[in-house]
């Protein structure tokens, strides 16, 4: 069994930070999802290592979250190979200092969720200049756009062509609504930008209730495989947000089904090889 590097591991520690966005989401609201919980749910899953993904904490808690997870990552037994930290590229104040501070805490990249702000944010020169600064620091930026916003992702990729950009959740296709188009054409366009990597994650949550399955996601996965190719794809669990769909176990089973349909080199690229390269993980021999 090929070991998976989970590039989208959230953790929720209510005693450390606030998570206002979970209000009204029964699967998440008012609950803790700590590292020990992740270890329990992923036991036997073949997880070779993880990257912590910032969990959209309340504005004043960004540093607290990063520091707390950095502490967890300092213990090799916890398997956290790096952090994707929160950033606010829309403002210059303290941005370059935050890049270095977060790097010192083990960050290998940054994310700013963009479907919760005005579409114009990613088009400003301040935003784009700061994304270029992330690239100049040899770090990544995760793009979290909705399917309707994929043209914005393409524009950002063109404007920041020296920064490695990771598209979260396959561009959030409307699987429940049969939204292959225009998502499919927009993904084809975005895939023509060589600095963009696609993250195979989150998609089970976009299926209709009770209909999350390999068959439901296959047309979308097949298209991503066609236009990006396995060597420009990485995998993520999106735990515990995956609980809004059918849960970690079902997503893992579908993942293994997807990988089993590929050649060994292709499967290994998605499972871990691309992540090792993209995020410059320091001990690839131990992860392979």
């Amino acid at each position: 069994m090929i070991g998976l590097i989970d590039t989208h591991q959230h953790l929720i520690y209510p005693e450390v930070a606030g998570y206002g966005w979970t209000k009204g989401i029964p699967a998440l609201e008012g609950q803790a999802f700590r590292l020990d919980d992740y270890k329990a749910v992923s036991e036997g899953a073949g997880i070779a290592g993880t990257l912590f993904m910032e969990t959209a904490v309340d504005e004043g808690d960004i540093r607290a979250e990063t520091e707390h997870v950095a502490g967890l990552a300092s213990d090799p037994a916890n398997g956290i190979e790096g952090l994707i930290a929160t950033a606010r590229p829309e403002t210059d104040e303290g941005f370059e200092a935050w890049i270095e501070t977060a790097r010192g805490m083990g960050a290998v990249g940054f994310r700013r969720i963009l479907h919760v702000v005005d579409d114009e944010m990613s088009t400003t020169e301040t935003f784009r200049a700061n994304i270029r600064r992330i690239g100049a620091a040899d770090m990544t930026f995760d793009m979290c756009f909705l399917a309707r916003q994929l043209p914005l992702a393409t524009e950002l990729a063109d404007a920041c062509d020296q920064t490695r950009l990771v598209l979260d959740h396959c561009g959030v296709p409307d699987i429940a609504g049969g939204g292959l188009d225009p998502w499919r054409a927009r993904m084809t366009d975005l895939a023509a930008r060589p600095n963009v990597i696609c993250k195979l994650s989150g998609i089970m949550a976009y299926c209709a209730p009770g209909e999350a399955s390999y068959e439901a996601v296959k047309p979308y996965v097949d298209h991503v495989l066609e236009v990006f190719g396995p060597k420009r794809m990485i995998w993520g669990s999106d735990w515990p947000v995956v609980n809004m769909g059918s849960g970690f176990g079902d997503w893992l089973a579908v993942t293994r089904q997807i990988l089993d349909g590929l050649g060994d080199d292709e499967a290994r690229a998605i499972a871990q090889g691309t992540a090792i390269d993209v995020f410059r993980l320091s001990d690839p021999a131990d992860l392979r």
Side-chain angles (χ1 to χ4, degrees):
M1 180 170 65
I2 300 171
L4 293 162
I5 296 178
D6 185 353
T7 66
H8 213 95
Q9 172 204 43
H10 296 297
L11 298 170
I12 293 180
Y13 285 82
E15 69 275 21
V16 172
Y19 306 87
W21 63 272
T22 64
K23 186 175 182 180
I25 303 176
L28 303 174
E29 184 178 6
Q31 301 178 61
F33 296 90
R34 301 184 175 92
L35 184 59
D36 285 346
D37 301 316
Y38 177 85
K39 289 179 177 179
V41 76
S42 64
E43 184 176 2
I47 302 298
T50 69
L51 291 178
F52 167 76
M53 171 57 71
E54 64 92 18
T55 315
V57 295
D58 296 349
E59 196 70 27
D61 296 330
I62 292 172
R63 188 179 185 112
E65 177 188 56
T66 310
E67 289 178 343
H68 182 73
V69 178
L72 297 174
S74 67
D75 181 352
N78 287 331
I80 300 174
E81 305 297 329
L83 284 64
I84 310 297
T86 302
R88 294 290 181 264
E90 65 269 24
T91 178
D92 277 334
E93 184 179 355
F95 190 82
E96 289 188 88
W98 177 238
I99 289 178
E100 293 310 312
T101 298
R103 188 208 298 272
M105 289 191 277
V108 296
F110 297 92
R111 183 172 78 154
R112 191 351 167 182
I113 296 179
L114 292 166
H115 60 75
V116 297
V117 298
D118 290 341
D119 285 359
E120 291 74 21
M121 179 181 286
S122 68
T123 70
T124 67
E125 184 51 36
T126 295
F127 191 97
R128 292 176 173 183
N130 283 328
I131 299 304
R132 294 184 200 110
R133 289 187 177 100
I134 290 172
D138 199 25
M139 301 172 84
T140 63
F141 181 71
D142 271 61
M143 302 188 294
C144 203
F145 284 111
L146 300 177
R148 69 166 182 82
Q149 297 174 303
L150 287 175
L152 292 171
T154 302
E155 291 177 19
L156 186 61
D158 285 340
C160 307
D161 59 357
Q162 298 303 305
T163 303
R164 302 187 306 281
L165 302 174
V166 179
L167 179 69
D168 289 354
H169 311 323
C170 295
V172 194
D174 179 16
I175 299 174
L180 265 172
D181 299 306
W183 170 87
R184 185 160 40 188
R186 291 169 177 169
M187 288 292 282
T188 299
D189 194 23
L190 183 58
R193 278 65 186 175
N195 57 319
V196 180
I197 298 94
C198 185
K199 186 178 293 185
L200 184 61
S201 61
I203 55 176
M204 296 282 274
Y206 310 137
C207 299
E211 296 184 11
S213 66
Y214 172 74
E215 290 72 23
V217 303
K218 187 177 186 300
Y220 300 86
V221 174
D222 284 350
H223 184 66
V224 171
L225 282 165
E226 178 184 348
V227 297
F228 278 93
K231 292 186 178 179
R232 289 173 60 205
M233 293 174 63
I234 57 179
W235 181 81
S237 71
D238 199 23
W239 184 87
V241 182
V242 71
N243 294 344
M244 294 172 62
S246 54
F248 184 98
D250 281 358
W251 174 227
L252 179 69
V254 168
T255 296
R256 292 298 181 187
Q257 230 176 323
I258 293 167
L259 297 183
D260 286 348
L262 302 173
D264 287 348
D265 288 347
E266 294 175 325
R268 187 171 295 278
I270 295 173
Q272 55 173 254
T274 305
I276 288 169
D277 293 340
V278 167
F279 296 105
R280 315 290 199 237
L281 300 184
S282 58
D283 296 310
D286 293 337
L287 295 173
R288 290 180 194 275

